[in-house]
Amino acid sequence: MSDTKQGFATRAIHDGQEADPLTGAVNVPIYLTSTYKQEAIGKNKGHEYARLTNPTRDALEENLCSLEGGTSAHCFGSGMAAITALCTMMKSGDHVVCSDNVYGGTSRLFDKVLVHYGLSFTYVDTTDANAVAAAIRPETKLVHIETPTNPMMAVTDIRAVADVCHAKGVELSVDNTFLSPYLQRPIELGADIVMHSTTKFLNGHSDGLGGVLVGTKPGHAETFRFVQKCTGGILSPFDSYLLLRGVKTLAVRMEQHDANGRVVAEYLARKLGTGKVFYPGLETHPQHELAKRQQRGFGSMISFELGSLEAANRFATGLKLCYLAESLGGVETLICHPATMTHAAVGAEGRAKLGITDGLMRISVGIEDVADIVADLEQAMTR
Ligand SMILES: *Cc1c(COP(=O)(O)O)cnc(C)c1O
C-alpha cells in the first residue's frame, strides 16, 4: 500500500507490490491470462476480462500513481496511446493550448489526426505564462505542456501556468517524460494530469514501449479507465512487468543520469561554447533559476549545435560507444538528430521557428562511466 511518508526510492520498490500472497514470491507475477474464472453469474474476484484489469498492470498503475503523487494511474501501450487517451476527454469543438516545441509525435497526432475530429490546437511558447493566458479561449479545455521541451530544453514554470489555467477553469496536463517523477513532480506544482512515455526513463532499459496518465480527480480515474476498456490500447502484462522492474531502480538511475548529464553538458559547453549547448543545468540557460527551483536535478537531456548537417553526420558516424538512435532515457547513451528523426514531421519551416537546425544533435546521457562517454564524444568531435 502507498505510504506517502516513505521516501521515493522505497515507494518505487514497494508500492503496489506486496509479496505474492499465494507463494511469497517477491516479484509480481506476469499474469498471462485474457479472462478469469467466475464463481457464479455476477460473482468474480474483481477481474473479468484482461482489457479491463490485469493484476500485473494494476500493480504497476498503483506504483506509478504513488510516485507521481496522483490519485489514479492508467497505463497504455505507448506514450502516444496515452496522449490519445488523454484527448478523449474532449469533444468536437474543444480547444487545446500546447507548448510550441513538444515531442514531434504529439503535434503530429494533434495536427494530422485529431483536427479531423473537430478539435483545435494552438501552439504557444509556454515559458511565458502570459502567452498561455492569452491563448486560452472560452472553448479551451486543456493546456498541455512539456518541460523541459524537446529538443530545445526550454523550461516552463508549472506553478505559474497551473495558476493561469485554474483561474480560467482549464485543466493542465504535463508530459513529464524528460525528467521522471524522481526529478520533477508536476502535481505538487499544481498540474491536474501527468503523462509519460514510460518507454524512456521510467522503463530505463530501452526494452519496451508504454505510456501512463496519472490523474488527480475521480473524473480522471473514471474517464481513463473507461478509455482503456473502450479503445483497448492497454499495456500488456509482460511490458507491465518490465516497467515494474525498471522503476525499482529509478532513483539510483536518475541520480547517475543527472550527475553524468552535468559533466557532459560542461564538457560540451567548454568544447563548443555555452551559446551552442542547451541544458537547464548551465548557469547561462535562460531558465536556470526556475529549473533549480522546480526540479530536483537537471536530468541528462542535452542538445548542442554542430553548425551543419555535414558536421553533425561526421560526428554521428564517428561515435563508437554512444549510439546514434531515436529515443532516450535508457541506461545507454543515445544521440539523435532531431531535424531528421524526432522532428522530421514538423517540416523545415516549423523547425526554423523552433530553432531546430540541421546541425543540432540531442544526447540522452546514459549511466556508463562518464569519462568513457566524454572520451567518445571527444574523439567523434575532433575526427
Ligand atoms: C517518446 C515520447 C513520447 C511518445 O511516446 P512513445 O512511447 O514513443 O509513444 C511523448 N512525449 C515525449 C516527451 C517523448 O519523449
Side-chain angles (χ1 to χ4, degrees):
M1 267 328 283
S2 172
D3 177 351
T4 48
K5 286 194 294 297
Q6 287 182 331
F8 186 97
T10 306
R11 288 185 284 131
I13 293 166
H14 292 285
D15 280 6
Q17 312 177 68
E18 307 276 289
D20 181 35
L22 195 63
T23 62
V26 297
N27 285 298
V28 177
I30 306 172
Y31 284 89
L32 291 175
T33 190
S34 58
T35 190
Y36 306 87
K37 179 177 176 244
Q38 308 198 5
E39 289 145 58
I41 293 172
K43 190 158 179 249
N44 59 56
K45 295 187 158 74
H47 301 284
E48 292 165 59
Y49 187 61
R51 178 158 24 80
L52 285 62
T53 57
N54 176 284
T56 318
R57 198 178 80 226
D58 294 350
L60 172 66
E61 290 174 342
E62 186 177 333
N63 183 268
L64 296 181
C65 177
S66 164
L67 296 185
E68 282 290 358
T71 58
S72 67
H74 291 84
C75 288
F76 297 87
S78 68
M80 292 320 304
I83 299 179
T84 305
L86 172 68
C87 290
T88 63
M89 287 172 61
M90 280 166 295
K91 298 192 171 56
S92 174
D94 287 348
H95 173 247
V96 178
V97 176
C98 182
S99 292
D100 62 1
N101 59 109
V102 277
Y103 180 71
T106 301
S107 48
R108 182 175 55 201
L109 169 71
F110 291 173
D111 298 340
K112 304 252 155 81
V113 179
L114 296 178
V115 284
H116 301 307
Y117 294 82
L119 300 181
S120 61
F121 301 90
T122 301
Y123 296 91
V124 298
D125 176 0
T126 57
T127 63
D128 177 5
N130 295 323
V132 177
I136 292 176
R137 308 178 195 156
E139 64 273 23
T140 306
K141 284 281 149 39
L142 184 74
V143 171
H144 179 73
I145 65 170
E146 224 174 274
T147 181
T149 52
N150 182 20
M152 300 313 291
M153 306 300 152
V155 178
T156 290
D157 187 332
I158 297 173
R159 167 95 50 205
V161 171
D163 289 347
V164 161
C165 290
H166 297 155
K168 301 200 180 218
V170 174
E171 290 204 309
L172 173 65
S173 63
V174 178
D175 182 335
N176 201 24
T177 301
F178 267 35
L179 288 174
S180 90
Y182 184 72
L183 295 179
Q184 174 169 275
R185 275 188 302 285
I187 289 169
E188 291 172 8
L189 299 167
D192 300 286
I193 296 162
V194 168
M195 173 258 142
H196 278 276
S197 165
T198 62
T199 310
K200 315 296 168 56
F201 288 101
L202 283 171
N203 176 302
H205 296 75
S206 306
D207 56 9
L209 267 71
V212 67
L213 293 176
V214 181
T216 56
K217 296 171 188 159
H220 296 149
E222 233 168 82
T223 305
F224 302 145
R225 190 186 315 121
F226 193 63
V227 179
Q228 282 185 325
K229 174 169 150 173
C230 293
T231 66
I234 50 159
L235 194 65
S236 75
F238 185 69
D239 286 320
S240 297
Y241 170 79
L242 285 178
L243 197 44
L244 272 171
R245 179 181 163 129
V247 168
K248 284 182 185 172
T249 56
L250 184 66
V252 285
R253 280 190 289 108
M254 293 315 293
E255 283 288 342
Q256 198 59 48
H257 277 298
D258 185 52
N260 286 4
R262 292 171 198 234
V263 173
V264 169
E266 270 155 33
Y267 158 75
L268 289 169
R270 269 198 314 278
K271 186 83 187 168
L272 304 169
T274 48
K276 302 255 164 87
V277 183
F278 306 94
Y279 181 65
L282 293 176
E283 276 171 25
T284 47
H285 186 281
Q287 294 102 27
H288 175 65
E289 288 304 318
L290 170 62
K292 245 166 61 180
R293 201 164 66 235
Q294 83 175 1
Q295 305 171 189
R296 178 169 173 168
F298 301 113
S300 69
M301 300 303 299
I302 307 163
S303 292
F304 53 99
E305 178 58 55
L306 291 178
S308 68
L309 182 59
E310 292 67 42
N313 203 38
R314 209 176 320 120
F315 167 75
T317 52
L319 293 166
K320 292 183 174 141
L321 175 71
C322 309
Y323 296 131
L324 175 67
E326 303 228 16
S327 201
L328 57 112
V331 290
E332 60 289 285
T333 298
L334 300 174
I335 298 186
C336 92
H337 184 244
T340 56
M341 295 180 176
T342 54
H343 287 69
V346 175
E349 202 180 310
R351 286 196 297 277
K353 233 185 267 168
L354 299 172
I356 304 171
T357 63
D358 286 351
L360 189 79
M361 301 297 290
R362 186 194 73 190
I363 179 167
S364 165
V365 181
I367 59 171
E368 300 98 337
D369 289 288
V370 73
D372 294 331
I373 301 171
V374 170
D376 192 38
L377 299 177
E378 173 69 14
Q379 67 80 26
M381 201 87 74
T382 45
R383 224 156 61 101

